[in-house]
């Protein structure tokens, strides 16, 4: 049976995050031939509608309000509940991002809906959308479906392939005005850390360093390698605890969960808490001087040796290959 599915677009610094396009693809599967509606919340976000259209939504609902400029739980929850009232969706898909993780359970609770969080794929079994999600820190996967009510899910970035964009596609865009009141918090200002570059949670290539990198300065060659590959730098908690880098780069159970196409772990032992955040990466390369390091158990390719010798050599070789192509 065809369903009406809402997909919440996530806007960061005036741009749609890639996970929004992946959510549209998931929404199309759940809709099973029905309507997929993109929802944009924020201030001055209507210009992003055409991009959502290109990635496969059938129409877009824009909700603009000064209180939606920066994310707050209260304001987003109030706005989205009003969108749900108007649209009566049978499915809702969000990214499993900081925002999705925060707001989805609250919305599901308000709607008395089930919630499947952190899905890495979705397929149809007859009329039912069946989601696959990792469990036990990525050691196993379970398949889940919602038996009744709204099909509500968050999807892990970088796992579901977005639909190839069609630049010629245009769709109806409507504005919905919402009433936002009695907020417990408002954002006065957002001060961003100047990390720049590629967003770690959506990067296709991650070059991650551990305590073996030994210093802040030791991360510079890793950044060079990441830049060369168009990727982002990440870190183990060991490296963050040692103050070699910011906790915003931490990958693992208590850091970010990532699924890049290529994960290069450098001077990282591979503790279970680190593996929880990266073991589902498509290709894992480990560089470690200890041949017994547990990281080699999950690595597709391993280099045993001193990272301070290997990383510059690898960077040089890759530069030669990339430049000659
Ligand atoms: P180490 O374990 O010290 O490993 C350093 C590695 O570098 C070693 O394998 C060594 O052989 C190698 N090395 C050293 N010098 C060189 C060299 N010159 N060349 C090549 N290799 C070299 N950790 C996370 O990463 N993310 C989390 O989210 C996280 N959450 C946690 C939550 C809890 C509740 C707890 C208890 C722990 C958590 N941890 C987490 C910590 C985790 O248990 C490990 O302590 C941490 O991952 C170790 O970081 P590391 O691999 O960089 O350091």
């Amino acid at each position: 049976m065809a369903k009406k599915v809402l997909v919440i677009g996530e806007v960061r610094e005036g741009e749609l995050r890639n996970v929004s396009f992946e959510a549209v693809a998931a929404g199309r599967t759940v809709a099973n031939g029905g309507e997929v509606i993109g929802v944009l919340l924020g201030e001055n976000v209507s210009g992003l509608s055409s991009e959502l259209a290109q990635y496969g939504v059938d129409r877009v609902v824009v909700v603009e309000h000064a209180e939606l400029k920066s994310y707050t739980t209260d304001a987003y929850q109030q706005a989205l509940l009003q969108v749900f009232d108007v649209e009566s969706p049978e499915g809702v898909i969000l990214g499993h991002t900081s925002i999705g993780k925060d707001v989805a359970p609250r919305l599901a609770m308000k709607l008395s809906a089930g919630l499947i969080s952190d899905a890495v794929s979705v397929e149809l079994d007859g009329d039912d959308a069946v989601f696959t999600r990792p469990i036990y820190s990525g050691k196993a996967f379970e398949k889940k479906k919602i038996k009744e009510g709204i099909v509500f899910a968050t999807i892990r970035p970088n796992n579901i392939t977005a639909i190839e964009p069609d630049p010629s596609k245009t769709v109806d865009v409507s504005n919905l005005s919402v009433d936002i009141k009695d907020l417990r918090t408002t954002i006065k200002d957002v001060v961003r850390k100047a990390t720049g570059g590629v967003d770690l949670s959506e990067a296709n290539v991650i070059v991650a360093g551990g305590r073996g990198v030994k210093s802040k300065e030791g991360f510079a060659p890793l950044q060079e390698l990441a830049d060369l590959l168009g990727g982002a730098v990440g870190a183990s908690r060991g490296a963050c605890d040692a103050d070699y880098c910011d906790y915003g780069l931490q990958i693992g159970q208590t850091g970010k969960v990532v699924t890049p196409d290529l994960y290069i772990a450098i001077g990282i032992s591979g503790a279970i808490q680190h593996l929880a955040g990266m073991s589902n990466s498509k290709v894992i390369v480990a560089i470690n001087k200890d041949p017994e390091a547990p990281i080699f158990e999950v690595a597709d390719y391993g280099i045993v040796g001193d990272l301070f010798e290997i990383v510059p050599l690898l960077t040089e070789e890759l530069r030669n290959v990339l430049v000659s192509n």
Side-chain angles (χ1 to χ4, degrees), residues 79-97:
L80 284 170
L81 286 173
Q82 289 169 68
V83 177
F84 296 168
D85 264 356
V86 173
E87 294 291 347
S88 307
E90 294 155 302
V92 178
I93 312 284
L94 294 90
H96 194 69
T97 58

Side-chain angles (χ1 to χ4, degrees), residues 209-214 235-239 241 250-256 266-277 287-291 293-295 303 305-308 310:
R211 215 183 327 247
V213 174
K214 295 203 166 63
S236 70
R237 179 151 136 192
D241 284 344
Q250 186 186 317
I251 290 163
Q253 185 184 315
T254 45
K256 292 193 167 69
I266 302 176
I268 293 177
S269 59
I272 184 78
Q273 296 88 353
H274 186 78
L275 301 187
I287 303 174
N288 199 303
K289 67 178 185 186
D290 173 9
I295 191 75
I303 305 174
D306 186 342
L307 69 92
F308 298 101
I310 292 164

